[in-house]
Amino acid sequence: MKSQSSQTVTYPALPELTIRGMVLGALITVIFTASNVYLGLKVGLTFSSSIPAAVISMAILRMFKHSNILENNMVQTQASAAGTLSAIIFILPGLLMLGYWQGFPFWETLVLCACGGSLGVLFTIPLRRAMVVNSDLPYPEGRAAAEILKVGNDLRQAKESSTDTAKTETGMKDILGGTALAGFTSLCANGFHIFSAELNHWVMLGKTSVTQLPMGFSMALLGAGYLIGIASGIAILVGTLLAWAVFVPYLTSILSPADGQTAAAFANAVWAQKVRFIGAGCIGIAAVWTLIRLAKPVIDGIKMSIYAIRDNDTAEKKALHHTDIDMSPKSVGLVFLAILIGLFGTFYSFVSGAGLPFSVSLIYIVVGILIAILMGFFVAAACGYMAGLIGTSASPISGIGILGILISSLVVLAISSSFGVFATPEGTKFATALAIFITSVIVSIASISNDNLQDLKTGHLVGATPWKQQVALILGSIIGAFAIAPVLNLLYQAYGFTGAMPRAGMDASQALSAPQATLMTTIAQGIFSSSLDWNYILLGIGVGIVAIILDLILTKTTKSLTLPPLAVGMGIYLPPTLEIPLVIGSVMGYFVHRYLKRRAALRSPGHEEEDVEACSHRGVLFASGLIVGESLMGVIIAMLIVVSVTSGGSENPLALVGKDFKSVADILGLIMFIVSIVLLVRHIITTKFTPQNTNK
């Protein structure tokens, strides 16, 4: 089943980039960025900021006269940078773990994040037409944000004009129903802890072979699964089965656990340290293939952009293209030049401390910037595609980071070997640190591009002006970058990182583990010491090639069944408890849609498509509400945790039960998840329809 596409609405020319909107967006960006960085390192919790920002924007701006849907959209676009730029925590702390930095220099960190984020925006400009306008990628979070903005706007306009609000109130009730259900479930699971957020049953397949039967209970991912469609869901399931029914059982049967290590801990370690590299390899080759397939539509999109910009002088052209105009080539060129200057300055500041000859330092700087830019465009396309497939929240940015650290390390290795840098331990440390520094730019690009196309999808559905959204996200990247270094330094001074404590005598048990940064630092060190095992990455590349071939065969021989190779790689790489709700939602959506088509043929002859669309639209609204509810509750719980932890309190301030309640919480979580599925299905199939009114 193809995902049901939301209808694009074009509103008349309305104020979009307003002063009040940018100020509000800036405040939300700083607060959410600080919270995400803090929580991501302290308690392993982050939240997507786009949808909460849209809800907050509507609540605040409705108090002002003449606020509108496009202004609200710009606020959420700007603030969405907060939820994504914080992905820098996946790599940057590695410089402290390595001992190269003793803290996070404010200006170097600020410029690095701002330039990387801005590049992520620029690199997605030529991808917009190919991947947003002329693509059937579902973009679940982008569609959810658009539905929220449209229903809120329609309800406000109906009340202001004193017209019948029954239709729009019905749509709002659909969203609020999903929001209440997901919010309640998330509060009970992640706040009170009386429901489990996931369930794992470990299975021994022999004396040492281990696997698990995983189950996640995320309402947001269930809703996203309903929106992504069956093809992506099945591909993710294939990847999950490869990981946990093939690779993990086999590797646990031939490897030996550490002394005293439980079977579950052993299997998890094998997956994290071995199998995820297979997933990263599969993602890498699938991303290359995706970029090749996108080459022609991207080039066509660039030509169309230039044509639209050149010919938008007349009123007719402006009216035709106001929702289809990207930043002008001149503006892109000026921003790109500013980014190059910023990158050169921060790279020079970083490299100059190594005490190398100026000519060698200049080579490192130029090559480092080139690698960041070239690799950045590659990951921008890959991340944009992944976000389109399954959404921003579940997109494996850390997997892209692994590819980035591999490429950066290999290039730095080649240069350093030529100049004898590895002759001293300090030289080896510098080379490792430079690879991490380059990858930090790549991760910033990846995180913003992962988010930007989702925002552009929202804008496309509500009739926003693309270039204004692109400007808003650049502002969000720059403003959010101001918050990153202070928060990272606060955390470092308060807790330290594993293997990098700021003061003697600190409690090492309280240190922040930053597992992704630890992994990428270990990869870089493994490359420079020639101890990295490439076999798993090469195996992943082989799996990706097989997936590409199968996808091509299915595309040619069937009309509806495909196997997106990137989704297969994500199925191997992502935690299975994240994937199962996505798969369940997509399979549920497929069978519900088939039932709706059969029923429509009987109850609405001659109006089958309208009947199915009316039912499906209510499903989209309710599923969007599930994403909204979990996102909003995630923000609320995150803020409470920040307040509690910073005041010396518990990391679980709302918890009503202890760990001994887990077995009961598992049962309650499973029951609530099943009930939620039933409620979603019932909400869709009980939609009434008459040919005279297709919206009820």
Side-chain angles (χ1 to χ4, degrees):
M1 179 190 76
K2 281 189 178 182
S3 59
Q4 299 300 304
S5 59
S6 300
Q7 291 184 347
T8 301
V9 177
T10 302
Y11 293 92
L14 297 170
E16 296 184 61
L17 271 177
T18 64
I19 297 296
R20 67 188 179 196
M22 287 188 287
V23 171
L24 177 59
L27 291 173
I28 297 174
T29 300
V30 170
I31 294 170
F32 281 9
T33 299
S35 299
N36 259 320
V37 172
Y38 193 109
L39 290 164
L41 287 173
K42 183 68 182 83
V43 297
L45 172 69
T46 60
F47 55 87
S48 175
S49 56
S50 181
I51 291 176
V55 175
I56 293 171
S57 173
M58 286 194 296
I60 293 177
L61 290 181
R62 69 184 302 171
M63 295 185 293
F64 296 87
K65 288 184 178 180
H66 309 302
S67 63
N68 63 80
I69 184 173
L70 300 185
E71 186 180 19
N72 284 317
N73 178 59
M74 287 299 159
V75 174
Q76 73 85 17
T77 297
Q78 181 177 340
S80 66
T84 50
L85 197 57
S86 55
I88 197 68
I89 64 174
F90 293 158
I91 179 67
L92 206 57
L95 292 170
L96 278 73
M97 298 173 181
L98 192 64
Y100 195 80
W101 274 0
Q102 304 307 314
F104 295 93
F106 177 77
W107 288 110
E108 282 188 24
T109 305
L110 165 65
V111 175
L112 181 146
C113 294
C115 289
S118 299
L119 275 176
V121 178
L122 296 189
F123 287 159
T124 50
I125 290 175
L127 301 174
R128 184 183 64 84
R129 282 186 176 82
M131 296 177 64
V132 173
V133 179
N134 300 321
S135 169
D136 60 355
L137 290 171
Y139 290 100
E141 290 160 339
R143 292 173 63 199
E147 293 297 341
I148 294 160
L149 291 171
K150 286 192 288 187
V151 171
N153 182 73
D154 292 346
L155 184 59
R156 175 178 175 172
Q157 288 183 340
K159 288 183 177 179
E160 288 179 348
S161 60
S162 300
T163 57
D164 183 14
T165 62
K167 186 168 66 177
T168 51
E169 285 178 349
T170 298
M172 182 58 74
K173 288 177 182 177
D174 294 333
I175 292 176
L176 291 177
T179 300
L181 176 61
F184 171 76
T185 305
S186 180
L187 177 62
C188 291
N190 302 312
F192 300 150
H193 293 279
I194 58 176
F195 294 169
S196 286
E198 59 185 46
L199 176 63
N200 307 82
H201 179 66
W202 296 94
V203 180
M204 297 296 298
L205 301 177
K207 292 184 178 180
T208 58
S209 182
V210 188
T211 190
Q212 68 166 313
L213 299 176
M215 187 66 207
F217 303 138
S218 168
M219 295 292 104
L221 293 177
L222 177 68
Y226 175 80
L227 297 175
I228 66 175
I230 189 65
S232 297
I234 293 300
I236 292 171
L237 178 61
V238 168
T240 306
L241 292 175
L242 282 174
W244 290 97
V246 179
F247 297 136
V248 171
Y250 173 72
L251 291 172
T252 52
S253 70
I254 63 173
L255 299 173
S256 300
D259 292 338
Q261 192 175 33
T262 64
F266 177 44
N268 263 329
V270 167
W271 171 75
Q273 300 168 13
K274 310 291 184 183
V275 177
R276 291 195 97 177
F277 282 92
I278 300 175
C282 184
I283 288 173
I285 192 66
V288 171
W289 174 245
T290 299
L291 195 60
I292 292 172
R293 294 182 64 181
L294 286 173
K296 185 179 185 302
V298 166
I299 292 172
D300 292 342
I302 293 173
K303 291 179 179 178
M304 290 173 64
S305 296
I306 295 173
Y307 175 80
I309 294 164
R310 185 186 64 197
D311 293 339
N312 72 353
D313 298 329
T314 67
E316 181 181 353
K317 284 293 183 181
K318 285 182 179 179
L320 180 62
H321 293 291
H322 81 278
T323 60
D324 201 28
I325 300 177
D326 296 298
M327 288 177 62
S328 68
K330 181 179 179 180
S331 299
V332 170
L334 290 173
V335 174
F336 187 70
L337 179 61
I339 291 171
L340 286 180
I341 294 172
L343 285 177
F344 187 89
T346 192
F347 268 83
Y348 177 80
S349 175
F350 187 86
V351 172
S352 61
L356 298 170
F358 178 76
S359 59
V360 177
S361 297
L362 189 61
I363 291 174
Y364 274 120
I365 293 169
V366 173
V367 173
I369 293 173
L370 284 175
I371 291 300
I373 291 174
L374 295 175
M375 186 71 184
F377 184 77
F378 164 75
V379 302
C383 287
Y385 197 87
M386 289 190 291
L389 275 177
I390 64 171
T392 303
S393 299
S395 191
I397 295 295
S398 58
I400 293 297
I402 289 175
L403 299 177
I405 195 67
L406 287 171
I407 299 298
S408 300
S409 297
L410 290 174
V411 173
V412 173
L413 175 65
I415 298 174
S416 301
S417 299
S418 302
F419 294 111
V421 172
F422 295 123
T424 63
E426 292 76 14
T428 302
K429 181 184 287 188
F430 162 74
T432 309
L434 181 60
I436 293 173
F437 196 75
I438 295 170
T439 307
S440 298
V441 182
I442 296 171
V443 169
S444 297
I445 295 171
S447 63
I448 292 297
S449 59
N450 184 57
D451 167 74
N452 190 28
L453 288 174
Q454 202 83 237
D455 289 329
L456 289 172
K457 183 65 175 181
T458 301
H460 177 65
L461 293 173
V462 301
T465 307
W467 75 262
K468 294 180 181 178
Q469 282 192 280
Q470 290 149 6
V471 170
L473 202 59
I474 290 175
L475 290 174
S477 299
I478 295 171
I479 293 168
F482 275 91
I484 289 176
V487 177
L488 284 174
N489 274 318
L490 172 67
L491 285 169
Y492 176 59
Q493 294 298 325
Y495 305 103
F497 295 108
T498 301
M501 307 299 286
R503 297 177 301 280
M506 293 183 67
D507 185 359
S509 66
Q510 296 296 314
L512 305 172
S513 60
Q516 294 93 343
T518 303
L519 173 62
M520 294 188 203
T521 302
T522 303
I523 291 172
Q525 291 173 322
I527 289 176
F528 292 126
S529 63
S530 301
S531 60
L532 182 66
D533 189 349
W534 288 90
N535 291 329
Y536 298 106
I537 296 173
L538 295 175
L539 176 58
I541 292 174
V543 171
I545 292 173
V546 172
I548 290 170
I549 294 172
L550 288 175
D551 184 51
L552 288 173
I553 293 173
L554 289 171
T555 301
K556 290 183 178 180
T557 57
T558 66
K559 292 183 178 180
S560 58
L561 184 60
T562 60
L563 191 73
L566 265 174
V568 175
M570 288 186 280
I572 299 172
Y573 183 85
L574 289 172
T577 50
L578 291 182
E579 298 165 336
I580 297 304
L582 281 167
V583 173
I584 291 175
S586 66
V587 173
M588 176 195 68
Y590 173 75
F591 284 107
V592 167
H593 190 69
R594 288 188 61 182
Y595 167 78
L596 293 176
K597 290 176 70 175
R598 289 198 303 267
R599 187 182 68 177
L602 297 174
R603 80 172 185 176
S604 310
H607 298 275
E608 292 90 342
E609 290 187 7
E610 296 95 326
D611 189 346
V612 172
E613 177 60 29
C615 298
S616 297
H617 184 62
R618 290 195 70 196
V620 168
L621 293 175
F622 195 87
S624 299
L626 294 178
I627 299 174
V628 173
E630 190 164 309
S631 299
L632 284 176
M633 189 54 64
V635 173
I636 295 170
I637 293 174
M639 297 301 181
L640 292 174
I641 291 174
V642 168
V643 173
S644 176
V645 172
T646 52
S647 60
S650 169
E651 294 178 357
N652 298 305
L654 299 178
L656 300 178
V657 296
K659 294 182 179 179
D660 56 345
F661 193 76
K662 186 178 185 309
S663 58
V664 178
D666 288 344
I667 296 173
L668 292 177
L670 178 60
I671 292 173
M672 190 64 201
F673 188 71
I674 294 172
V675 169
S676 301
I677 294 173
V678 172
L679 290 175
L680 174 56
V681 172
R682 183 178 179 277
H683 189 82
I684 299 169
I685 65 177
T686 56
T687 300
K688 296 180 180 180
F689 172 82
T690 59
Q692 291 78 23
N693 189 349
T694 62
N695 294 299
K696 288 187 179 182

